[in-house]
Amino acid sequence: MGKALIIGCGGVAGVVIHKCCQNSDVFEEIMIASRTKSKCDAIKEQLEGRTPTKIRTAKVDADNVDELCALIDEYKPDIVMNIALPYQDLTIMDACLKCGVNYMDTANYEPEDTDDPAWRAIYEKRCREAGFTAYFDYSWQWAYKEKFEKAGLTALLGSGFDPGVTQAYCAYAQKHLFDQIDTIDILDCNGGEHGYPFATNFNPEINLREVSAPGSYWEDGHWVEIPAMSIKREYDFDQVGRKDMYLLHHEEIESLAKNIPNVKRIRFFMTFGQSYLTHMKCLENVGMLSTTPIEFEGHQIVPIQFLKALLPDPATLGPRTKGKTNIGCIFTGKKDGKEKTAYIYNVCDHEACYREVGSQAISYTTGVPAMIGAAMLMTGKWSKPGVYTVEEFDPDPYMEALNKWGLPWQVNGNPVLVD
């Protein structure tokens, strides 16, 4: 079918690469590119001879548009899969526009330096106008819509699980289950145990910034912002059990509020254990979650980046992690004039993921949808110029692919609702 350039070589990228190689009818060739080429070479060596997919590797600085363009022009991929950091979304989008190639990622843009004066001015204006203060939002990437339209290219934003699959669930519910969706509660439960006193299941820098920020939700046409971790609920998750969960700001709320007509409320909850919260609060209190550089023994260091270097690499958690994840969406609304509820969700087993691709389920549940999103564009099942999130496309082929490639979903027509 075609060629994909995969930028990034962390835990999620490892899953993406494995799944692309399983789907060799679509991904006939892939190139793995990262700052650290030795990581790319190691995965290539692991997979060569076990897949018909041809694998190449390269070194690239994803912050450098010219370097990205040189690689794209040399390899000539059909799509660039950005599995790097959200900080690099805009430079990779710029390179795709310059070289004329489709783009996809798994998370929306946020800046590495939140003290940059130019970024700060735009951010503070958005906070006043939009009503939420999270560092990450879609406005920076939505601003590329006209450029991609004029170029005849597609940019698919946020094709991980949440965001990504959760939005496909919403589009599926809107298409097949409801005439009108009134409320959406997105629940992200990780029931896994890795045995460390403290570790994050994906990039620590991104994870800790996300969960320490104020929470927010969409209600009656506007944002409601709350102090971080101040709304707590308990929920009994299928195959996991009862877990405490906390309301967070999350990026898919922003796009769903725009794309699900007349929705009254959208919330996002994530489960956390008390040990995680205690460690995180302690680190925040002593300044270790700060993104502001400090001087230490003649060197400039960013505290949260230093912390990231101390914590276990999420890519190494696979062999240690046991238990399951349960991620899905609870809907209320109307069908044929009657009140209706539904819960679409997936349960994923950490140990099964490790046996298949050598990763824990958090990386797996992000990496599988990334491959699927890229396959939607490469096969032409999703094709329209511009910049779009998952729920703006037909959900049916995506949902079918989730069942085929390792993330089967189910529908509960009478779920317990979250108050």
Side-chain angles (χ1 to χ4, degrees), residues 267-300:
R267 302 183 296 184
F268 180 96
F269 291 90
M270 184 176 284
T271 62
F272 296 97
Q274 190 55 51
S275 176
Y276 181 98
L277 297 177
T278 301
H279 278 83
M280 187 186 74
K281 192 63 180 175
C282 179
L283 292 167
E284 184 178 25
N285 287 343
V286 298
M288 286 302 295
L289 304 189
S290 172
T291 61
T292 303
I294 63 168
E295 187 84 16
F296 178 73
E297 294 186 350
H299 300 281
Q300 287 275 313

Side-chain angles (χ1 to χ4, degrees), residues 119-337:
W119 177 85
R120 198 87 201 174
I122 297 170
Y123 162 75
E124 289 174 357
K125 180 175 183 289
R126 190 221 69 201
C127 291
R128 292 191 299 271
E129 293 176 352
F132 67 93
T133 61
Y135 288 147
F136 52 95
D137 75 294
Y138 279 118
S139 65
W140 296 87
Q141 293 176 277
W142 281 341
Y144 282 69
K145 184 175 178 65
E146 187 175 344
K147 294 178 183 178
F148 271 80
E149 285 174 347
K150 287 181 177 178
L153 300 172
T154 303
L156 174 62
L157 308 183
S159 186
F161 205 108
D162 43 340
V165 173
T166 50
Q167 288 145 294
Y169 288 172
C170 292
Y172 181 89
Q174 186 178 33
K175 181 176 180 180
H176 296 288
L177 304 181
F178 292 85
D179 297 323
Q180 169 63 42
I181 295 174
D182 292 330
T183 69
I184 305 169
D185 279 335
I186 303 165
L187 311 187
D188 183 329
C189 169
N190 177 21
E193 295 289 343
H194 47 59
Y196 285 115
F198 184 73
T200 62
N201 293 292
F202 59 96
N203 186 294
E205 194 173 346
I206 304 300
N207 182 215
L208 292 169
R209 281 170 60 160
E210 178 181 275
V211 301
S212 61
S216 59
Y217 59 96
W218 182 262
E219 188 168 51
D220 296 330
H222 63 89
W223 288 97
V224 179
E225 188 161 88
I226 61 168
M229 314 301 274
S230 62
I231 291 182
K232 172 186 172 182
R233 298 289 187 267
E234 185 181 63
Y235 199 81
D236 190 358
F237 290 91
D238 181 26
Q239 300 183 50
V240 176
R242 302 193 74 84
K243 292 287 182 181
D244 291 336
M245 61 183 188
Y246 297 81
L247 189 147
L248 304 182
H249 177 86
H250 224 246
E251 59 235 67
E252 64 263 50
I253 300 175
E254 187 180 8
S255 69
L256 290 169
K258 182 169 75 94
N259 294 318
I260 303 295
N262 303 313
V263 66
K264 295 176 182 177
R265 190 188 68 204
I266 312 171
R267 302 183 296 184
F268 180 96
F269 291 90
M270 184 176 284
T271 62
F272 296 97
Q274 190 55 51
S275 176
Y276 181 98
L277 297 177
T278 301
H279 278 83
M280 187 186 74
K281 192 63 180 175
C282 179
L283 292 167
E284 184 178 25
N285 287 343
V286 298
M288 286 302 295
L289 304 189
S290 172
T291 61
T292 303
I294 63 168
E295 187 84 16
F296 178 73
E297 294 186 350
H299 300 281
Q300 287 275 313
I301 65 167
V302 176
I304 197 168
Q305 292 179 354
F306 178 71
L307 175 63
K308 176 185 174 182
L310 294 174
L311 291 174
D313 182 346
T316 68
L317 297 179
R320 301 176 59 99
T321 308
K322 304 180 188 306
K324 296 179 181 180
T325 64
N326 181 318
I327 312 173
C329 302
I330 298 177
F331 304 94
T332 69
K334 296 178 180 64
K335 179 70 174 178
D336 298 329

Side-chain angles (χ1 to χ4, degrees), residues 20 30 38 51 56 102 105 117 128 140 243 271 302 316 374 399:
C20 286
I30 61 172
S38 59
T51 173
R56 291 178 58 189
N102 289 334
D105 63 34
R128 292 191 299 271
W140 296 87
K243 292 287 182 181
T271 62
V302 176
T316 68
M399 295 287 280

Side-chain angles (χ1 to χ4, degrees), residues 5-76:
L5 171 58
I6 301 169
I7 298 176
C9 202
V12 173
V15 177
V16 172
I17 293 158
H18 276 81
K19 300 306 282 193
C20 286
C21 289
Q22 289 178 16
N23 191 5
S24 55
D25 288 345
V26 173
F27 299 92
E28 292 177 322
E29 298 182 35
I30 61 172
M31 174 179 276
I32 313 164
S34 172
R35 275 197 180 97
T36 309
K37 186 173 179 292
S38 59
K39 289 185 178 180
C40 307
D41 292 335
I43 294 182
K44 176 185 176 182
E45 183 178 347
Q46 180 186 355
L47 289 170
E48 272 191 327
R50 298 170 51 196
T51 173
T53 300
K54 296 177 183 177
I55 305 172
R56 291 178 58 189
T57 63
K59 178 180 172 65
V60 73
D61 179 358
D63 293 316
N64 187 315
V65 174
D66 290 339
E67 200 170 312
L68 287 164
C69 283
L71 183 60
I72 293 169
D73 286 340
E74 184 269 325
Y75 186 59
K76 294 181 171 51

